[in-house]
Amino acid sequence: MVFGLARRELRPRVPLRPGEGEKHRLTSLEGLAALSLDALSSVAYGPEAIVIALVAAGTGALSATLPVTLAIVFLLAALVVSYAQVIAVHPDGGGAYAVAKKDLGPTASLLAAASLVVDYVLTVAVSLSAGADALASAFPALAHDKLPVCLAGLALLTVVNLRGVAESARVLMLPTVLFIMTILGVVVIDLLRSHPAAVVGTPLSFPPKESLGLLLLLKAFSSGCSALTGVEAIANAVPTFRAPRVRRAQRTELMLGALLGVMLIGLAVLIRRDHVAPRGEVTVLAQLTAGAFGTGWPYYATNLVVTLVLGLAANTSFGGLPVLMSLLARDHRLPHLFGLRAERPVYRYGVLALALLAAVLLLATEADTHRLIPLFAIGVFIGFTLSQLGLVLHWARDKPAGWRRRALINGTGALLTTLAGVILLTTKFLAGAWVVVVAVPLLMLLFARIQRYYTAVGEELGLGRVPAPPDRRTASLVIVPLGEVSKLARHAIGAALSLGDEVVAVAVHADPAKSRALRESWERWNPGVRLDVIDSPSRSLVQPIVDYVQRAARDGRQIAVLIPEVEPRHRRYEILQNQRGLLLATVLRARTDVVVCLLPYRLGL
């Protein structure tokens, strides 16, 4: 005992997998870095969307930027408080889809799922296009190559996520802190200056096209609401936090709301004070950066940081949408292949689907951020509203202590997000929001039809019911298509003899001389298996075997067709091999009900 050799109780210990254990979960600061980039990075395009909407009434209307921003920040505060309630009620996460499925029913859950799919795809497209804008502000030569830059960034994100390189909160801490410090630095330093340090971009003229009235203010408000995307991400990922999870997630949500609100108000004050209007080849944020830091290295460094963070914000969708699609696949609302995980583990089909949809969207809009913004926030606000309504029903059903106050908070949030969604839809409908109005119902219909198909398949297969006893065993026949006597034939015949009661080899030849030579070789080898040679004057190889199999299956026996296939060691040689076996297997599966087996013979080359 003195030397530490006392007998201790041995307990089996199961090693933790990578990512398991409390130390791998998120603290509040790590959660801010890992889950808030989508929301925080929206300051790169949200204020600019307000400015572009207001400038339709001339540059004098830009003074309304601050009041519009204050209204958006008020809505942000309501959302943050409401989502703090969502975190408390749904500590297992799951987002609007899980909330709607539990509290609002199947139709609402389909609506939530469709809107989330649209939101995730648009997040990738908008973040990449806004990142390309920031990059072009620092390097004007790239201004005409935005689409290739976006597609290249999308390809890089796709490859990284297919390889299963998971996001690490510690890795994201540095760019997140740099981004927050940079934006706050722009605000503070620019406020301390009496006039901008430098002006970038080419001037543009903005003759008034409409008056500054309620409709224009609503358009500006709806455009600026794109800055609220990503607020729900923390509530979706509560299980990733360390204990006490609910308290840490709520703290992170409040930190996000405070930082985002301060940055939005600060940038709006600068826009109003300096009368910042859109200029050619630069973003509004780049103009404010030049006004604070000048055009030296801090200007270029800031734009590069903004580009990096926007790229990381796009990457959050690659972590979110494939998981959502796997949940839909588990609920039989998407093909089950979206629920398959690779060894890494990665939902690769979900990653590929997201990349394809984002690429189509970027190509359709030519990576124009201002054409994507009208599409962006509608799906988000549908999710906001459904989450709040679901929580109101939860409070009314369970009636815990203080439920009326909580229901009032979530009901107010639902009312505000509904009004914001209606404003978004009405003011942006002709500008492109109609695409979302069409896409969401079509996705809901797709999910419902897939679920209906799986339900019908389950009924036909009798899933969940005890089936009748299996049929009594019948005689079996294994048919082996061959071309000549070789090691491949020996390999195939040996496998066939272990599978069935009777084995027959079948060969198809158009040349009688080759048929005779094959019979002679077969008799010399004498494997104890009958050989049937089919003459084919038309030189067709697949159809004669299919006809032979169909005739053999008429007597009710169980038929199996064993097709030997040569597989080279290196994939580059596959194109040199005969692919008739795969063609024969495809045709047999389409035209017969026999068992089709592919038997590999692996070469050393």
Side-chain angles (χ1 to χ4, degrees):
M1 295 176 66
V2 174
F3 296 101
L5 299 177
R7 182 177 180 181
R8 291 177 294 181
E9 182 181 358
L10 297 179
R11 297 181 180 178
R13 299 182 61 185
V14 179
L16 296 175
R17 295 179 180 180
E20 293 183 339
E22 198 67 16
K23 70 176 183 178
H24 294 286
R25 299 187 183 275
L26 302 177
T27 64
S28 295
L29 290 177
E30 290 171 349
L32 187 69
L35 302 170
S36 302
L37 280 180
D38 183 12
L40 294 174
S41 64
S42 63
V43 300
Y45 48 81
E48 182 168 4
I50 298 174
V51 170
I52 291 175
L54 290 174
V55 83
T59 55
L62 296 179
S63 59
T65 302
L66 183 58
V68 171
T69 301
L70 290 174
I72 293 172
V73 171
F74 175 75
L75 179 58
L76 170 65
L79 283 173
V80 168
V81 174
S82 297
Y83 270 104
Q85 301 271 52
V86 174
I87 291 169
V89 176
H90 295 279
D92 294 330
Y97 176 65
V99 175
K101 187 172 70 170
K102 178 182 177 183
D103 297 320
L104 297 176
T107 302
S109 66
L110 289 175
L111 177 59
S115 62
L116 284 172
V117 169
V118 172
D119 175 33
Y120 279 125
V121 175
L122 282 167
T123 295
V124 174
V126 172
S127 297
L128 288 174
S129 63
D133 288 336
L135 196 62
S137 297
F139 305 100
L142 298 175
H144 301 292
D145 296 319
K146 279 185 55 182
L147 182 58
V149 169
C150 290
L151 293 177
L154 178 61
L156 177 62
L157 290 175
T158 304
V159 171
V160 168
N161 283 277
L162 284 176
R163 292 187 61 83
V165 179
E167 290 183 356
S168 170
R170 294 175 179 84
V171 173
L172 295 174
M173 282 288 288
L174 179 60
T176 303
V177 171
L178 283 176
F179 180 78
I180 294 172
M181 292 179 62
T182 298
I183 300 300
L184 294 179
V186 168
V187 172
V188 173
I189 294 175
D190 213 344
L191 285 175
L192 294 176
R193 292 184 181 274
S194 57
H195 57 84
V199 177
V200 294
T202 57
L204 302 173
S205 61
F206 297 99
K209 296 180 180 178
E210 53 183 297
S211 59
L212 181 60
L214 179 61
L215 180 59
L216 187 62
L217 290 173
L218 291 177
K219 287 182 179 179
F221 173 80
S222 63
S223 297
C225 281
S226 59
L228 300 180
T229 57
V231 174
E232 76 287 353
I234 295 170
N236 294 351
V238 179
T240 62
F241 284 88
R242 292 184 188 177
R245 293 182 177 86
V246 170
R247 189 178 304 169
R248 288 185 186 275
Q250 289 176 329
R251 188 182 304 144
T252 306
E253 188 77 48
L254 294 174
M255 291 167 57
L256 166 63
L259 285 170
L260 182 56
V262 168
M263 290 192 290
L264 288 173
I265 293 174
L267 294 176
V269 169
L270 294 177
I271 292 170
R272 179 175 182 175
R273 191 198 68 174
D274 297 337
H275 303 287
V276 177
R279 295 174 68 88
E281 299 180 350
V282 294
T283 63
V284 168
L285 182 58
Q287 293 184 60
L288 297 175
T289 303
F293 300 139
T295 55
W297 69 265
Y299 171 78
Y300 292 96
T302 298
N303 282 285
L304 289 175
V305 168
V306 172
T307 302
L308 173 62
V309 168
L310 285 166
L312 293 174
N315 196 50
T316 58
S317 288
F318 282 94
L321 183 58
V323 174
L324 173 64
M325 297 179 83
S326 72
L327 294 176
L328 289 168
R330 188 179 64 189
D331 293 338
H332 311 301
R333 291 174 170 176
L334 273 181
H336 289 168
L337 61 87
F338 286 106
L340 300 177
R341 294 177 64 174
E343 294 178 1
R344 300 251 175 202
V346 177
Y347 294 105
R348 289 183 174 174
Y349 291 102
V351 170
L352 291 173
L354 175 57
L356 178 62
L357 292 172
V360 170
L361 195 57
L362 287 169
L363 290 169
T365 59
E366 297 179 349
D368 187 346
T369 307
H370 307 305
R371 292 174 63 184
L372 289 166
I373 289 295
L375 311 176
F376 194 21
I378 295 176
V380 180
F381 275 88
I382 292 174
F384 287 165
T385 302
L386 291 175
S387 295
Q388 306 312 312
L389 286 177
L391 219 53
V392 170
L393 293 179
H394 170 81
W395 299 128
R397 183 178 60 248
D398 293 353
K399 293 183 173 58
W403 70 272
R404 288 187 175 86
R405 176 180 56 83
R406 298 174 183 177
L408 179 62
I409 293 173
N410 293 119
T412 303
L415 178 62
L416 292 175
T417 53
T418 300
L419 290 174
V422 171
I423 292 171
L424 280 165
L425 185 59
T426 54
T427 57
K428 298 295 182 181
F429 186 82
L430 296 179
W434 64 269
V435 176
V436 179
V437 175
V438 173
V440 168
L442 287 178
L443 284 173
M444 293 176 64
L445 179 62
L446 175 66
F447 298 154
R449 292 295 297 271
I450 292 174
Q451 186 176 21
R452 189 184 309 166
Y453 168 79
Y454 278 126
T455 301
V457 170
E459 284 293 324
E460 187 167 340
L461 295 178
L463 298 180
R465 299 193 299 268
V466 178
D471 296 332
R472 299 180 64 181
R473 186 176 182 272
T474 59
S476 61
L477 171 66
V478 182
I479 299 173
V480 183
L482 292 174
E484 54 189 339
V485 175
S486 64
K487 288 184 178 180
L488 179 64
R490 177 179 179 273
H491 180 60
I493 294 298
L497 288 171
S498 65
L499 294 177
D501 301 319
E502 181 184 354
V503 177
V504 59
V506 178
V508 178
H509 279 292
D511 187 353
K514 291 184 177 180
S515 298
R516 287 193 299 272
L518 175 60
R519 290 182 185 277
E520 292 172 359
S521 298
W522 193 267
E523 290 173 359
R524 287 195 301 270
W525 181 33
N526 191 20
V529 170
R530 186 177 87 248
L531 171 67
D532 289 341
V533 180
I534 303 173
D535 294 327
S536 177
S538 63
R539 298 184 179 274
S540 173
L541 297 177
V542 173
Q543 189 57 45
I545 295 179
V546 173
D547 294 337
Y548 182 92
V549 172
Q550 289 175 336
R551 288 194 300 270
R554 289 174 185 170
D555 58 3
R557 284 189 297 178
Q558 179 65 54
I559 305 295
V561 181
L562 186 66
I563 305 173
E565 279 287 294
V566 174
E567 288 190 2
R569 182 177 180 182
H570 300 287
R571 296 182 67 89
R572 62 178 178 270
Y573 295 135
E574 286 184 0
I575 195 173
L576 303 178
Q577 298 299 323
N578 194 327
Q579 304 298 321
R580 285 178 298 193
L582 293 176
L583 176 60
L584 175 60
T586 302
V587 176
L588 284 172
R589 290 191 180 103
R591 300 184 184 179
T592 69
D593 294 327
V594 302
V595 178
V596 180
C597 307
L598 290 174
L599 178 68
Y601 184 88
R602 294 182 173 87
L603 300 175
L605 300 177

